[in-house]
Amino acid sequence: MCEIDIVAERNGTLYFCEVKYRASARQGTGLDYITAKKLQQMQFAARSWVHAHAYAGDYRLCAIEVSGPRFQITAAINDLTV
């Protein structure tokens, strides 16, 4: 139905993270693949999780870009908006 790559908590805020890996940027970066449709899917998944777990605190959507053969984090966005 939907998926979230990572659900993590930091300083009282829950983060629903999308992780995008690209071996190279020849076809665009990982963050280039976070489209408006993907953001809507992430929001739906986050709301579903919040409802299923009766979570009443703050939460955000975030994205992490991992690149290259050494799987390095090359970019991160801490607060995506729909």
Side-chain angles (χ1 to χ4, degrees), residues 8-44:
E9 184 271 333
R10 182 176 183 197
N11 297 328
T13 299
L14 205 59
Y15 288 86
F16 295 91
C17 299
E18 177 70 14
V19 179
K20 291 292 189 185
Y21 170 76
R22 294 292 175 266
S24 76
R26 282 190 306 252
Q27 296 180 347
T29 69
L31 295 182
D32 290 338
Y33 287 84
I34 306 214
T35 63
K37 181 177 179 179
K38 182 61 180 175
L39 283 172
Q40 289 174 344
Q41 292 170 339
M42 290 174 67
Q43 185 68 38
F44 176 78

Side-chain angles (χ1 to χ4, degrees), residues 1 7 13 18-19 21 25 27-28 36 40 54 58-59 61 63 65 67 70-71 77 82:
M1 188 163 103
V7 178
T13 299
E18 177 70 14
V19 179
Y21 170 76
Q27 296 180 347
Q40 289 174 344
D58 293 330
Y59 69 92
L61 303 179
E65 178 184 278
S67 301
R70 299 187 76 187
F71 302 97
I77 300 174
V82 177

Side-chain angles (χ1 to χ4, degrees), residues 71-82:
F71 302 97
Q72 294 178 315
I73 296 174
T74 51
I77 300 174
N78 292 330
D79 192 5
L80 294 170
T81 57
V82 177

